[in-house]
Amino acid sequence: MARLAGVAMLAIGFSSLATAGALWSAGGPKSAYWLILVWGIGLAVLAIFPQEPADQALTWHGAIHRYAALAGLVTLPWAGLLLSRQWPVLRPFSIASFVLLVLFVATFIVPGWRDYSGITERFVLGANIGIIGVLIKRLSAVPVAVVRTGQPS
């Protein structure tokens, strides 16, 4: 099951990198582009460096996983909020992602909640997949002439 989750994270990470490229080509905000880029790279790093089981001490690959997760899970909803001026449907996904991220972090802080970190992480990822899905849908509606030349047809 863990390998399947890693493969899924790689696929979502690479699709996020493609989405960032589409945003750049469409002339979207550069700050949102960079935030989505960090998210996509962070997700790929999460897949490559696994987290150790909850009952084991933190390892070097677990530390890489933890900090990549923190960077990635913060940057995508932040980009969603920046882009919600243009596409308001992103706002609820971004807010949900931040709320779920706080819950996810709480599983590491509150005694006895560590067993729930995996499921809460997947809820955060679900909200983030919603953000990427909306971006793909909105960016696919951008006219090709604008993407290629920067000028409307």
Side-chain angles (χ1 to χ4, degrees):
M1 185 66 118
R3 290 181 193 206
L4 182 58
V7 170
M9 283 192 284
L10 279 174
I12 296 165
F14 289 132
S15 67
S16 298
L17 295 175
T19 303
L23 181 65
W24 182 279
S25 295
K30 301 305 181 222
S31 56
Y33 161 80
W34 287 107
L35 290 168
I36 295 168
L37 197 67
V38 169
W39 151 258
I41 292 168
L43 207 53
V45 169
L46 288 176
I48 294 168
F49 295 97
Q51 180 71 30
E52 63 280 325
D55 60 344
Q56 293 181 8
L58 185 64
T59 60
W60 64 271
H61 57 81
I64 292 171
H65 182 94
R66 182 175 292 175
Y67 295 115
L70 184 59
L73 295 175
V74 168
T75 56
L76 186 64
W78 185 5
L81 287 178
L82 289 174
L83 293 167
S84 69
R85 293 181 194 120
Q86 184 174 1
W87 298 307
V89 71
L90 287 170
R91 184 173 299 283
F93 286 103
S94 298
I95 291 170
S97 181
F98 277 127
V99 169
L100 291 165
L101 181 58
V102 168
L103 184 61
F104 173 61
V105 170
T107 65
F108 292 94
I109 298 170
V110 177
W113 284 21
R114 181 73 163 99
D115 291 340
Y116 301 103
S117 64
I119 190 70
T120 56
E121 181 182 35
R122 278 148 183 86
F123 285 137
V124 176
L125 289 171
N128 288 343
I129 290 169
I131 294 169
I132 291 297
V134 168
L135 286 174
I136 290 170
K137 174 76 171 151
R138 298 300 179 181
L139 288 168
S140 66
V142 174
V144 174
V146 173
V147 172
R148 290 193 179 146
T149 65
Q151 303 295 320
S153 52

